[in-house]
Amino acid sequence: MSLDFYQGGSFWKVPSEYKPGVPLTDQRITEVEQLLGVSLPKAYLRYMLEQNGGELAYRYVLFEDGEAAIIPYLYEMDTASGVGMSPLFLEQFGLPAGLVLLTGDFDSWLALDYRQQTEPEVIYLTNEGDLVSAQWKEYRLAPNFEEFTAKLFRRSPSKEEKKGGTAE
């Protein structure tokens, strides 16, 4: 098996089990940004304008230490769901203020980190505690969203998997 890194092209998995949100408009983007109190990165918006959330074609991300995590989908951009739920989730799960959550499963989150600058870093958080006493460990994935996408990968099937048809 080898790793096939994202280099542009098809970002979204088609067909997708995760139903994308309604197509984005400039007005909806403005509403979400006002709710969150940030300007979202142009690179992120470019993908979200193509499709408002959904499963990723390249669903793994590589950490600096060589470990990987699954990023199966990105939330849709909406004020009442998806990315718009960030303020509620930050409070509910004891996550640091200044984050915009792009996806997560309550024990781990992919986020844009606005705490230090206006151009956010992309971070991954995992809960080292439990839901009652969360202890969040942070991993810096990339200095911006564009560089984050270059760390996304999928497995390339081995010759044996190609014959048996069992690769992602």
Side-chain angles (χ1 to χ4, degrees), residues 17-31:
E17 291 180 29
Y18 186 96
K19 184 180 176 204
V22 297
L24 286 176
T25 62
D26 288 342
Q27 179 181 346
R28 185 172 304 269
I29 292 169
T30 299
E31 290 169 356

Side-chain angles (χ1 to χ4, degrees), residues 1 60 155-168:
M1 172 186 74
Y60 301 96
R155 294 179 1 180
S156 296
S158 66
K159 291 178 184 176
E160 294 79 28
E161 287 176 324
K162 284 181 183 178
K163 289 179 186 176
T166 60
E168 284 188 359

Side-chain angles (χ1 to χ4, degrees), residues 24 28 57 103 118 132-133 140:
L24 286 176
R28 185 172 304 269
T103 191
T118 56
V132 176
S133 59
R140 181 179 182 265

Side-chain angles (χ1 to χ4, degrees), residues 11-13 54-59 71-74 110 148 152:
F11 186 74
W12 303 105
K13 181 180 176 187
E55 286 185 77
L56 302 181
Y58 294 76
R59 59 182 290 154
I71 310 291
Y73 56 87
L74 294 181
L110 177 70
F148 162 72
L152 292 171

Side-chain angles (χ1 to χ4, degrees), residues 8-128:
S10 298
F11 186 74
W12 303 105
K13 181 180 176 187
V14 178
S16 173
E17 291 180 29
Y18 186 96
K19 184 180 176 204
V22 297
L24 286 176
T25 62
D26 288 342
Q27 179 181 346
R28 185 172 304 269
I29 292 169
T30 299
E31 290 169 356
V32 170
E33 288 181 328
Q34 286 175 346
L35 171 74
L36 300 173
V38 299
S39 293
L40 294 164
K42 290 185 184 344
Y44 170 71
L45 292 174
R46 193 170 55 246
Y47 293 109
M48 298 305 283
L49 284 164
E50 181 183 318
Q51 177 178 302
N52 188 7
E55 286 185 77
L56 302 181
Y58 294 76
R59 59 182 290 154
Y60 301 96
V61 64
L62 198 58
F63 292 101
E64 296 289 328
D65 65 3
E67 293 292 319
I70 297 173
I71 310 291
Y73 56 87
L74 294 181
Y75 289 148
E76 69 277 6
M77 278 184 63
D78 200 315
T79 55
S81 64
V83 173
M85 298 292 288
S86 290
L88 175 70
F89 288 148
L90 294 179
E91 182 179 335
Q92 185 174 7
F93 295 104
L95 291 156
L99 304 181
V100 172
L101 304 175
L102 302 181
T103 191
D105 63 4
F106 308 132
D107 281 324
S108 60
W109 299 94
L110 177 70
L112 297 173
D113 184 355
Y114 286 88
R115 291 176 290 180
Q116 302 298 321
Q117 61 268 340
T118 56
E119 179 67 23
E121 295 181 330
V122 180
I123 64 170
Y124 188 81
L125 299 103
T126 59
N127 185 359
E128 304 291 318

